[in-house]
Amino acid sequence: MLALRLARGAHPLVQLRRLLVTAAAAGTGFLLLCTLGYAMAHPDASARSVLRLAWCVAPMAATVYFAVAVARTDPGTRPRPGLSAIGLGPVRLMAVSAVTTALSTTLGSMLALLFFLQLRGDLTGMPFDGAAAEFLAADQPLPLPGALTLLALVPLAASVASALVLRPRGEKQARMSGTSTTAGTSPTIGTPLTAGASATIGTPLTAGASATIGTPLTAGASATAGTPTTAGTTPTADTPPAADTDSTSTAPGTSADSPTPSATPSSATPHDFPAEPLDPQRPAVPQPAPGGLPWSVAVLAAGLAVEMYASRSGPAPGLALPGRFADGPAGVLAGWTLTAMGLVLAGPAITYLCGWLLQAVRPGALRLLAGRVLQEEARRIGQPLGVVCAVASGAYATATLYAGARPSFGPLSTLGALLVTGCTVATLVTAAVEAKHARADTTAALLRLGAPATMLRSAALLRAGALVAVFVPLTWAVAELAAMPLTG
């Protein structure tokens, strides 16, 4: 119910992203059902049916990847201070996000089932009734358990992946309920106190003390909101404020250096961006440079080597690719897969390297700002950028390989290509929007300091230009090398 309420009251742009996830899930579900229809119409060609089902893995993976990116940027399930008091801690919000993702993808699967039944002719009174009855084996009853199993793959994979990505990280989350506090301890949100003690959010208390929000107290003291007191005193309207309004008194048995409830690991969010504005007095620790560049280069080189070996090893069993592509050795497909993995793994490190190059050789304020921001966003946008480059490399290699003999693309092949391309590009755009929201505090601080808005836009264009200047030649080179073993 909470997931439905959050989905209904979301921003229109958030609703648009969820609708895109629903559309992607509908397309992938329709491909899976068409595979089932082909298997029913050709019971003797079981090997080709299994191969068609295996080719659906690529659009399904792209759909799940896009659904996880949308779940990460959903503001309705973002942890905020105080939500744990009503039972919405990081774990519960993770579950709500997974349920929201499951609802969006399940809706898409149901739409795919309706369209599939309409093309088979099982549903009448709508356009395209029975348009693909022969191909989808309309003369045979549809195995409902098999159809539902195939349709459940995308919602199940998307919800599980969202839960894994958004799970609370760091130290184990402290239980917000079921623990008791004694004298000398500071209760956190939702923690029951001992007899005679009552408190609200953010109030360190001892036994026998009572206070309201934001009131630091000592033993035996009572106060109203915002009034610092000492032991045994009752504040009045003439009571002067304390000299240091940011300091809070400590309870017996605790030290001044002990962490407050807002600084405990239980307040960490599962997202990469902060749940509340950053403290300018205590800035966040810069993230280290992404690793894995040597491994990604090794995987990329291994993929190209596998392609070269498979193309020159003589006759080998081929795979009938969708769209009536020429049968190529199975090793070439394995080499393409390794090459794509190498590009995806190298994305964050190459993005960080682009930021380093921008601020090299005596940079000015513009290049320094663009480079630092690009280095900070390397982990967030680097991987989606690597996925887009891998898809573009495969598309370019395929177009180069079949430049002379244009293979005939069927409707299902076109739908699969559009799903993979659209989901990867949409994931990159979603990651860019997430990065923009993550640096909103930094942008606001720069504007308060007098930085012109044109400088911020110029820095954004400089970052985009640096990424294009590095990733486009890299994608072209990898695509040429990937197509060389088959064209030579």
Side-chain angles (χ1 to χ4, degrees):
M1 183 61 66
L2 179 60
L4 290 175
R5 288 180 178 272
L6 291 175
R8 186 182 62 180
H11 192 271
L13 291 179
V14 178
Q15 298 285 20
L16 177 61
R17 290 197 291 263
R18 290 172 180 168
L19 288 178
L20 291 177
V21 171
T22 300
T28 305
F30 181 74
L31 289 179
L32 293 172
L33 290 178
C34 288
T35 302
L36 177 62
Y38 180 85
M40 293 169 55
H42 304 81
D44 298 332
S46 58
R48 296 180 64 88
S49 300
V50 172
L51 184 59
R52 283 175 174 267
L53 184 61
W55 280 112
C56 294
V57 173
M60 186 173 68
T63 302
V64 171
Y65 190 54
F66 178 47
V68 171
V70 171
R72 282 173 53 91
T73 58
D74 192 350
T77 57
R78 184 182 305 173
R80 295 181 180 88
L83 288 182
S84 297
I86 59 175
L88 293 178
V91 177
R92 184 69 62 85
L93 288 177
M94 175 198 67
V96 171
S97 180
V99 171
T100 304
T101 303
L103 289 176
S104 301
T105 51
T106 302
L107 177 59
S109 298
M110 293 299 101
L111 293 177
L113 180 60
L114 290 177
F115 189 63
F116 178 78
L117 294 177
Q118 180 185 354
L119 291 180
R120 275 175 51 94
D122 297 335
L123 299 179
T124 58
M126 300 179 66
F128 308 105
D129 290 339
E134 182 180 357
F135 177 77
L136 300 178
D139 56 338
Q140 301 181 20
L142 179 67
L144 189 58
L148 294 180
T149 301
L150 291 176
L151 290 176
L153 291 178
V154 175
L156 182 62
S159 58
V160 171
S162 300
L164 291 177
V165 170
L166 301 180
R167 71 188 186 278
R169 292 180 174 85
E171 301 181 11
K172 292 184 178 181
Q173 301 295 323
R175 294 290 182 182
M176 292 302 182
S177 60
T179 58
S180 60
T181 58
T182 57
T185 61
S186 297
T188 57
I189 300 172
T191 305
L193 302 174
T194 56
S198 62
T200 54
I201 301 172
T203 307
L205 291 176
T206 57
S210 62
T212 56
I213 299 175
T215 307
L217 292 176
T218 56
S222 61
T224 57
T227 307
T229 62
T230 56
T233 63
T234 302
T236 61
D238 298 330
T239 304
D244 187 6
T245 57
D246 294 335
S247 62
T248 58
S249 59
T250 58
T254 60
S255 61
D257 297 332
S258 60
T260 59
S262 60
T264 56
S266 61
S267 63
T269 65
H271 303 288
D272 293 334
F273 43 80
E276 57 184 359
L278 298 175
D279 185 5
Q281 302 298 329
R282 300 193 318 189
V285 180
Q287 294 184 357
L293 184 59
W295 287 105
S296 60
V297 173
V299 173
L300 185 62
L304 295 176
V306 169
E307 289 184 44
M308 186 70 66
Y309 177 78
S311 62
R312 297 187 178 182
S313 58
L319 296 176
L321 307 184
R324 300 181 179 89
F325 290 125
D327 293 343
V332 174
L333 178 62
W336 278 4
T337 304
L338 289 176
T339 302
M341 289 178 56
L343 281 175
V344 173
L345 294 176
I350 296 178
T351 304
Y352 189 90
L353 183 61
C354 291
W356 180 80
L357 291 176
L358 278 178
Q359 47 187 330
V361 190
R362 303 180 62 181
L366 180 61
R367 288 200 295 134
L368 185 62
L369 176 62
R372 291 295 175 87
V373 172
L374 197 56
Q375 285 181 329
E376 187 69 21
E377 298 174 355
R379 297 179 182 274
R380 185 175 287 111
I381 67 174
Q383 190 177 33
L385 192 57
V387 174
V388 170
C389 290
V391 173
S393 174
Y396 181 83
T398 303
T400 303
L401 181 60
Y402 299 100
R406 302 171 174 237
S408 58
F409 283 91
L412 298 182
S413 302
T414 304
L415 177 59
L418 289 178
L419 280 174
V420 173
T421 305
C423 288
T424 51
V425 173
T427 303
L428 178 60
V429 174
T430 305
V433 172
E434 179 188 1
K436 180 180 179 181
H437 291 167
R439 64 173 186 271
D441 294 336
T442 303
T443 303
L446 290 174
L447 292 176
R448 287 195 303 267
L449 291 175
T454 55
M455 179 181 179
L456 300 180
R457 288 192 292 266
S458 300
L461 292 176
L462 187 59
R463 293 195 301 270
L467 292 177
V468 170
V470 173
F471 277 95
V472 169
L474 176 64
T475 304
W476 174 81
V478 172
E480 287 287 347
L481 291 176
M484 189 180 299
L486 296 181
T487 56

